[in-house]
Amino acid sequence: DSSLPYVIEKTDHAGPSKARNIGWRRATSEWIQFLDADDLLHPEKIKTQLETTQIVPRETAVVYSDWQRLGLVDGHWQPVGEIISPLIGDDPIMDILKAENTALVGSYLIRRTWLKKVSGFDERHCLIEDIDLLLRIAMEGGRFHRLESGRPLFFYRQRRGESLSQRDSREF
């Protein structure tokens, strides 16, 4: 049945950038949600952000929201630490470069036309590929809209010593 979702299997382990590019290029919707296998979305995230896409200016490339880390506490994954509230304003390049201001890939919806405009993720990058993408969008004039959600809509599972960013801090 063509109305059912389908799975794209990729087994050559070419990194997150290539996998994400394959996904968005096969997608047909105007707005794209990326989600890594171990991360979670609030049940209302996509609906809430999609409602916002109806009222943002056409040059808006990214709609993003608050997010929070998940940590293993007594054998159970729970929200830990502060809620991260990125703010990308009138100087998006400088705002994106601030380490404490990170909008992780799962925390936003991105307009497909902007992915096309910047040729998607740079497949040479296996780390901070999402930051590179946001910077290229900002340099092309893409605008960013923060949705005030009052709660985190994306949850990043923080695995001690297992994530790419934690295994090699110098490369990261």
Side-chain angles (χ1 to χ4, degrees), residues 73-90:
V73 178
D74 297 328
H76 300 283
W77 290 100
Q78 298 179 31
V80 295
E82 64 187 61
I83 295 171
I84 310 297
S85 300
L87 183 57
I88 303 172
D90 293 333

Side-chain angles (χ1 to χ4, degrees), residues 9 80 94 127:
E9 284 194 44
V80 295
M94 289 306 297
L127 293 173

Side-chain angles (χ1 to χ4, degrees), residues 1-6:
D1 182 351
S2 63
S3 67
L4 294 175
Y6 59 93

